[in-house]
Amino acid sequence: LAKFRSRAWDHFLELGLPSRKTSEFQYLPLRKLYSKEIVLPGAATLPFEKVQAHIVKGAERSVAVFINGQFQALLSRFEALPKKAVAVPLFEAFRMFGSFLHNQSARTLQEETDPFVSLNGAFTSQSLFTYLPPNTICEKPIQILHFVTADSALISPRIEFFLGALAETKVLATTVYLGGNGSFVNGALHFSLEEGARAHLERMVFGLPETSWQFDAVRTFMKKDSYFNSLMATDGAETVRDDYRVVMVGPNAEALLNGCWMLDGTREAHTHVKIDHQAPFCHSNQLFKGVLDGVSRSSFEGKIYIQKAAQKTEAYQLNQNLVLSKGAQAYTKPNLEIFAADVKASHGATIGKLDDEQLFYLEARGLSKKKGKELLVRGFSD
């Protein structure tokens, strides 16, 4: 990985760290992050019995385990993957697929605009590469199970998926904190989808220490007729940030991005999305919802680019926020840039509070005020 990490570090130096003046980071308390004293984590392990308790049903034989950002081959299980599928550490993948991976990594680094993603590449060590050959369908979901045990550490998990033509898989990403106070988890998850490939991604980010930071970058490169469906849910931390970049280079590709954050206390969650329509007849849909209480903060910035060649595009974006207290703050900034003439596109955002008339109606039917609020919040989130 030396060459890859060196290129990533050089690119990070070119980009430089963002500031509050950088639009994609303007709502993040970066000064808190930059004032942290963090170190690289040492080697760690866990007994398999403890790992097993967090494996979701159906993924018992298709789980990739990470501890403090490092892939743990001995704790992982891949027996349920199709025979021709490949799941190996990234350094082995560079030996197996040679120039192909070097060329692809060089392209992705050159196109990357988020310095934290380049920082991930510079500090990644035991990463995971998964390849599904053409026409390969994973009957069982693949779980990415990441344990964080190190305090005040820079943790850089990296997972890359390459799906051949008509291949299909479902990925469940779970982060379990068994420590991690004051740590900065800076993760990257890449999908490369060939023609007709289909990928489903679910990420659950709950139970983080209040002093922890977690950045997750999802990068998806889509060819003709490919499909990508992503769902994210979190209750925040000192700061949680999700950054999506989806590039559609082939016609008839479809991307669905959904997310929900439910924040209380001083927790924060921030989402940034960029979808680049470069080919005709593609479809994208974004729906992100936030519920905020206490003095929590959230932000959403979504960007849809429809290039001149992307005629007959359909692209939709919606961010809805429910603010339950006077101290909570929700910022939203949807964007559209359209250079094609024949498209259907829309973007919208809402920030509001609970409807007093709906709450009164529920109380008049015998529900307590607390239960009525819970039902209204659940109805908003569904």
Side-chain angles (χ1 to χ4, degrees):
L1 290 179
K3 186 177 181 180
F4 170 77
R5 294 175 62 176
S6 177
R7 286 178 175 176
W9 176 252
D10 289 342
H11 191 59
F12 167 71
L13 294 179
E14 290 177 11
L15 295 173
L17 284 171
S19 68
R20 290 290 293 271
K21 295 181 180 180
T22 309
S23 61
E24 294 88 345
F25 295 89
Q26 61 181 313
Y27 302 113
L28 274 71
L30 291 174
R31 184 175 297 178
K32 291 183 179 180
L33 176 62
Y34 297 160
S35 66
K36 283 182 175 289
E37 293 186 8
I38 55 177
V39 297
L40 295 180
T45 188
L46 291 170
F48 184 73
E49 293 75 19
K50 199 159 192 174
V51 172
Q52 197 172 24
H54 297 279
I55 299 176
V56 300
K57 186 177 180 180
E60 295 85 357
R61 298 187 304 126
S62 54
V63 56
V65 178
F66 285 73
I67 300 178
N68 296 330
Q70 298 187 358
F71 173 59
Q72 306 291 316
L74 295 179
L75 296 175
S76 302
R77 300 290 185 268
F78 296 123
E79 296 89 347
L81 267 60
K83 291 183 178 180
K84 294 184 179 180
V86 175
V88 296
L90 185 58
F91 71 87
E92 288 189 19
F94 273 111
R95 288 203 292 257
M96 295 171 64
F97 299 100
S99 59
F100 165 75
L101 268 185
H102 282 290
N103 292 336
Q104 177 174 278
S105 65
R107 174 180 58 80
T108 55
L109 280 176
Q110 185 178 7
E111 296 174 353
E112 186 56 62
T113 58
D114 188 330
F116 289 104
V117 180
S118 296
L119 189 67
N120 167 276
F123 283 94
T124 190
S125 55
Q126 295 292 332
S127 306
L128 177 66
F129 175 83
T130 302
Y131 169 61
L132 299 182
N135 300 300
T136 301
I137 297 178
C138 286
E139 301 293 342
K140 299 292 185 179
I142 299 174
Q143 184 182 7
I144 307 298
L145 181 53
H146 185 205
F147 293 92
V148 179
T149 64
D151 296 334
S152 301
L154 173 61
I155 297 171
S156 305
R158 187 181 187 91
I159 304 100
E160 300 197 9
F161 283 89
F162 187 92
L163 276 63
L166 301 176
E168 183 174 352
T169 191
K170 182 177 182 179
V171 179
L172 309 175
T174 310
T175 304
V176 179
Y177 277 75
L178 304 175
N181 293 300
S183 285
F184 175 33
V185 177
N186 181 35
L189 184 57
H190 288 245
F191 287 87
S192 184
L193 307 181
E194 293 292 295
E195 293 187 10
R198 300 175 65 88
H200 305 256
L201 171 64
E202 294 183 11
R203 293 184 300 117
M204 302 293 120
V205 185
F206 289 95
L208 280 66
E210 291 189 3
T211 58
S212 66
W213 285 60
Q214 180 161 327
F215 285 9
D216 286 307
V218 178
R219 300 292 184 260
T220 307
F221 185 79
M222 307 181 68
K223 291 189 177 181
K224 179 182 177 182
D225 297 323
S226 59
Y227 174 86
F228 181 69
N229 188 343
S230 172
L231 171 65
M232 178 277 296
T234 184
D235 62 354
E238 184 167 1
T239 298
V240 169
R241 182 176 188 264
D242 291 280
D243 185 79
Y244 301 84
R245 185 170 185 266
V246 178
V247 181
M248 300 178 175
V249 298
N252 294 307
E254 182 177 8
L256 307 179
L257 304 182
N258 299 280
C260 181
W261 47 89
M262 303 188 72
L263 310 176
D264 199 356
T266 60
R267 291 177 173 261
E268 298 193 14
H270 304 270
T271 300
H272 179 261
V273 181
K274 178 181 177 181
I275 296 186
D276 189 357
H277 287 264
Q278 298 183 2
F281 299 101
C282 291
H283 176 261
S284 69
N285 197 334
Q286 305 171 45
L287 177 59
F288 289 88
K289 295 184 177 183
V291 179
L292 298 92
D293 207 346
V295 290
S296 59
R297 281 168 36 103
S298 73
S299 70
F300 171 85
E301 182 171 359
K303 298 180 180 179
I304 300 175
Y305 292 89
I306 303 178
Q307 308 291 357
K308 188 175 182 180
Q311 304 293 339
K312 302 294 184 180
T313 289
E314 290 189 28
Y316 307 102
Q317 179 188 92
L318 180 61
N319 172 227
Q320 297 177 315
N321 298 276
L322 184 61
V323 180
L324 303 178
S325 65
K326 293 182 179 179
Q329 301 176 47
Y331 301 90
T332 183
K333 188 179 177 183
N335 294 277
L336 277 175
E337 290 194 27
I338 302 174
F339 302 97
D342 189 2
V343 303
K344 293 180 180 179
S346 68
H347 67 298
T350 63
I351 299 177
K353 62 179 184 177
L354 290 175
D355 190 306
D356 291 335
E357 291 186 3
Q358 292 180 355
L359 189 57
F360 175 78
Y361 176 86
L362 293 175
E363 289 183 82
R365 296 305 185 272
L367 294 177
S368 66
K369 190 171 185 178
K370 180 180 178 182
K371 187 63 177 179
K373 284 184 176 180
E374 290 178 357
L375 288 177
L376 292 177
V377 169
R378 181 177 296 181
F380 170 83
S381 302
D382 287 344

